[in-house]
């Protein structure tokens, strides 16, 4: 990750960086690989919010791999019926930036320390971040620098797993003491995967010293602490995007 980029391009509208998992599976406690990826509507709903407001989106993943949607997130059961599932599938086809990602390691930093050329950073969820972004040092550095720069930073559902790689220079985690939320233990149990997981997101975020705010399972729940905006679950993705819009300059 490059420190300075004085020649970073300028844009008429805000540029928003989506940082997404490149993982296609999540390794469970017994070593088996659970198929996953990003959760479709956690990427699509914010994308549609940002685009409707006239902003532009770019996508970064570990190594620049093309992100894949968790197939479970495209089913009728996950989307309240086949009609909405079809709408989401069609929406992903229009999300052309998904097919042109660049590497997180290639994100440049501007004079503020934040990502050059971008006014906000957003991380969609899905179990994929539990596999790769939770240990990705480039993503961790981007999170630390974005937080310190004051630029809006949003994460939803399992995406706060990426915060586990956000190491402060003085030691510990850069998000220690921040109020936030994410996919809860109760939701993981209700989804049927809590007993199979190596670790649970809520537990790990509490362990690194964040002030985890738990809402009702599956209901929209957004927590804002300074420039950090987090959402608990898929229903919170659109509301997180709306909060990020309020923080844009």
């Amino acid at each position: 990750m490059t420190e300075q980029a004085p020649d970073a391009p300028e844009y008429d509208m805000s540029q928003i960086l989506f940082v997404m998992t490149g993982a296609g599976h999540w390794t469970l406690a017994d070593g088996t690989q659970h198929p996953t990826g990003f959760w479709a509507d956690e990427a699509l709903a914010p994308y549609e919010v940002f685009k409707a407001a006239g902003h532009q989106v770019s996508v970064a993943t570990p190594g620049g791999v093309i992100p894949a949607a968790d197939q479970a997130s495209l089913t009728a059961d996950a989307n309240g019926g086949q009609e909405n599932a079809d709408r989401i599938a069609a929406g992903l086809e229009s999300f052309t930036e998904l097919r042109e990602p660049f590497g997180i390691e290639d994100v440049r930093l501007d004079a503020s320390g934040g990502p050059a050329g971008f006014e906000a950073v957003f991380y969609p969820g899905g179990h994929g971040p539990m596999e790769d972004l939770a240990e990705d040092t480039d993503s961790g550095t981007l999170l630390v620098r974005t937080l310190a720069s004051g630029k809006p930073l949003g994460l939803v559902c399992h995406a706060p797993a990426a915060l586990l790689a956000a190491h402060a220079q003085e030691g510990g985690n850069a998000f220690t003491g921040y109020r936030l939320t994410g996919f809860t233990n109760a939701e993981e149990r209700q989804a049927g995967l809590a007993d199979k997981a190596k670790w649970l997101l809520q537990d790990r975020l509490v362990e690194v010293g964040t002030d985890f705010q738990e809402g009702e399972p599956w209901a929209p729940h957004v927590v804002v602490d300074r420039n950090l905006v987090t959402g608990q679950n898929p229903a919170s993705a659109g509301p997180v995007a709306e909060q990020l819009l309020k923080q844009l300059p």
Side-chain angles (χ1 to χ4, degrees), residues 142-225:
L142 176 62
L143 287 164
V144 172
R145 299 298 180 84
T146 303
L147 185 70
S149 75
K151 292 183 177 183
L153 172 61
L155 306 96
V156 68
C157 201
H158 288 93
L163 304 182
L164 300 175
H167 305 300
Q169 286 187 346
E170 61 274 16
N173 190 282
F175 291 84
T176 296
Y178 273 78
R179 291 184 298 106
L180 52 74
T181 191
F183 203 66
T184 64
N185 290 355
E187 287 166 322
E188 204 72 83
R189 284 193 295 270
Q190 291 176 22
L193 290 168
D195 292 338
K196 301 177 182 180
K198 290 181 179 179
W199 47 271
L200 298 179
L201 178 60
Q202 180 176 352
D203 290 345
R204 289 290 301 276
L205 291 173
V206 170
E207 287 172 7
V208 300
T210 70
D211 182 2
F212 192 94
Q213 307 281 305
E214 181 176 359
E216 290 296 319
W218 312 109
H221 179 58
V222 176
V223 176
V224 181
D225 189 345

Side-chain angles (χ1 to χ4, degrees), residues 1 7 17 19 66 120 161 175 197 207 214 216 219 237:
M1 190 167 293
D7 59 344
L17 177 62
V19 181
I66 296 175
F175 291 84
E207 287 172 7
E214 181 176 359
E216 290 296 319

Side-chain angles (χ1 to χ4, degrees), residues 29 36 69 77 81 101-102 107 130 133 135 156 166 176 183 204 208 212 214 225 228 230 242 249:
T36 188
D77 287 345
F102 56 90
V107 176
M130 305 271 281
L133 297 182
E135 300 178 351
V156 68
T176 296
F183 203 66
R204 289 290 301 276
V208 300
F212 192 94
E214 181 176 359
D225 189 345
L228 176 65
T230 51
E242 295 287 355

